[in-house]
Amino acid sequence: MTIHSDDIRPEIDVDSLVEPASVEPLATIPTPIEQTKNFPHTDEVPDGCTVISDLDEDDFGYSVSFEEVTYATRTLADGTSMDLPMWIFTPGLDNAPESHMPEGGWPVIVFVRGSAFHEQNVPDYSNYYVRIAEKGYVVAAMKYRHSDVAPFPAQMLDCKTAVRFMRVNAERFHCNKDRVALWGDSSGGHTVLMAGFTGDREPDTPLYGEESAEVKAIVDWYGPTDFVKMNFYASSQNHSAPECPEGVEIGGVDVLEYPDRSRVASPMSYLSADVPTPPTLIMHGGRDQLVPFNQSCRLYATMKALDKDVTFLKLDNACHACYGFRSARALNIVFDWLEQKL
């Protein structure tokens, strides 16, 4: 069927209802992005259109793009290999007229998603990664070897490798390799504490060894810190059996029957007064049903006794990863702290 223009008869004379068009086609108005705000304003307001005159600022921040990369390939105990992916969220300047990249590049946050040390679902925190990147950070959300295929210290070693990978690829992702922080939640909190407290010291891994694994700051959200003590405080799960997350993490043994293995897997074991420690922010919920609040108390007390730079915030009614942690206010607390430390 062929439709001819004569067959289309608009019932409404739109031209009579809006501002009259120019007699001749108008010349374009060249407008570089940085001059967007100066583009000519139109005073046209059709009858019934509501004008909002006090909304002229964007508060999302930077635009965000992301890509998935493989940052390492590990050989497992059974001889098979395992590719380790990382999702990198990068702030951008497109259509952001008054924004600019910081001198030296974007600061970097290597984020470790919690998983009870089992296989992570890293992308399920994408809303966090985007919000963080909108604030002007490159977010490297990494996947580690989980405890079912590689127990401690595999996770912390993978975290260190991720830090070094980002430094090796700083130019590619427009990163400032001198401004790198770690952020993790739950078992990811444990991982970033272990990696951040040890830096270039053992336990370590040689991949990308030309770069350092030292970081400028650590954000620990409700991470376990002392496996042996977890069962002595209120929790919704057992923390000592061989099949519990902590038991699997230290090799599939009972946590209380192997205190030495538990001590080696405790972040506090790697703190000392004469070894520098990155500034650390601890946040934990007062109703955490999985990782007892006391775990963060023990870490905080240890760091204070060693005169470390540590800040501890109790979200009084928050549970594990919810009722407070999924809020702009919680994120803004971290952003304000990072602005001082990173």
Side-chain angles (χ1 to χ4, degrees):
M1 177 180 178
T2 302
I3 299 176
H4 301 283
S5 60
D6 290 343
D7 297 328
I8 303 175
R9 304 294 182 185
E11 299 179 2
I12 300 172
D13 182 8
V14 176
D15 287 338
S16 68
L17 301 176
V18 299
E19 182 176 301
S22 171
V23 177
E24 298 290 341
L26 298 175
T28 58
I29 305 174
T31 309
I33 289 179
E34 64 274 11
Q35 296 179 21
T36 299
K37 186 175 286 188
N38 299 321
F39 189 83
H41 176 271
T42 176
D43 295 322
E44 182 175 11
V45 182
D47 184 38
C49 171
T50 299
V51 178
I52 300 175
S53 59
D54 61 348
L55 182 55
D56 56 4
E57 296 292 336
D58 298 322
D59 56 14
F60 279 179
Y62 298 98
S63 60
V64 177
S65 59
F66 73 95
E67 65 176 292
E68 180 182 345
V69 301
T70 296
Y71 72 92
T73 299
R74 302 295 200 195
T75 300
L76 304 180
D78 63 2
T80 61
S81 62
M82 181 178 189
D83 289 338
L84 297 178
M86 176 189 290
W87 290 262
I88 300 178
F89 293 74
T90 309
L93 301 176
D94 292 347
N95 299 316
E98 298 175 5
S99 301
H100 62 277
M101 186 187 303
E103 184 177 354
W106 306 107
V108 181
I109 292 176
V110 175
F111 199 106
V112 185
R113 176 72 172 99
S115 61
F117 300 108
H118 298 302
E119 186 169 5
Q120 302 152 290
N121 182 357
V122 178
D124 78 339
Y125 253 33
S126 293
N127 58 330
Y128 282 88
Y129 312 144
V130 169
R131 287 174 181 269
I132 297 167
E134 284 177 342
K135 292 294 184 178
Y137 300 92
V138 169
V139 181
M142 55 157 288
K143 189 170 186 176
Y144 53 43
R145 284 170 291 170
H146 54 89
S147 60
D148 301 290
V149 298
F152 177 86
Q155 297 73 37
M156 65 172 290
L157 298 182
D158 292 342
C159 184
K160 291 185 179 187
T161 297
V163 170
R164 291 180 170 125
F165 174 87
M166 292 306 295
R167 286 199 164 107
V168 167
N169 291 278
E171 185 175 350
R172 172 182 173 184
F173 298 112
H174 307 291
C175 298
N176 187 333
K177 62 169 63 180
D178 296 323
R179 301 180 66 197
V180 181
L182 298 175
W183 187 346
D185 76 305
S186 195
S187 62
H190 174 276
T191 298
V192 299
L193 290 169
M194 290 296 309
F197 286 174
T198 58
D200 292 325
R201 295 181 291 126
E202 295 293 333
D204 204 355
T205 178
L207 188 58
Y208 310 121
E210 66 272 24
E211 292 288 353
S212 173
E214 302 282 346
V215 297
K216 295 287 291 293
I218 304 169
V219 179
D220 162 36
W221 274 14
Y222 43 86
T225 65
D226 191 346
F227 292 171
V228 170
K229 296 296 183 180
M230 293 182 76
N231 251 24
F232 295 89
Y233 295 84
S235 178
S236 65
Q237 66 179 31
N238 184 295
H239 292 284
S240 65
E243 65 273 12
C244 78
E246 297 76 23
V248 176
E249 173 68 352
I250 61 172
V253 299
D254 189 292
V255 170
L256 298 180
E257 292 179 5
Y258 287 82
D260 287 346
R261 290 195 189 185
S262 298
R263 182 185 61 80
V264 172
S266 170
M268 294 179 291
S269 300
Y270 299 87
L271 292 169
S272 63
D274 58 345
V275 177
T277 302
T280 303
L281 172 64
I282 305 168
M283 295 173 66
H284 207 133
R287 298 180 184 274
D288 195 312
Q289 76 279 19
L290 294 178
V291 177
F293 179 74
N294 176 264
Q295 289 286 292
S296 287
C297 296
R298 304 180 79 82
L299 174 62
Y300 178 70
T302 301
M303 296 187 74
K304 290 291 287 184
L306 294 172
D307 198 29
K308 301 298 184 181
D309 183 345
V310 59
T311 302
F312 187 16
L313 296 175
K314 180 181 183 181
L315 276 60
D316 206 22
N317 289 306
C319 299
H320 194 80
C322 58
Y323 296 113
F325 283 99
R326 297 179 182 273
S327 70
R329 184 176 176 186
L331 289 179
N332 286 334
I333 288 171
V334 178
F335 296 144
D336 290 344
W337 184 83
L338 286 172
E339 189 173 346
Q340 300 175 41
K341 305 300 181 179
L342 189 58

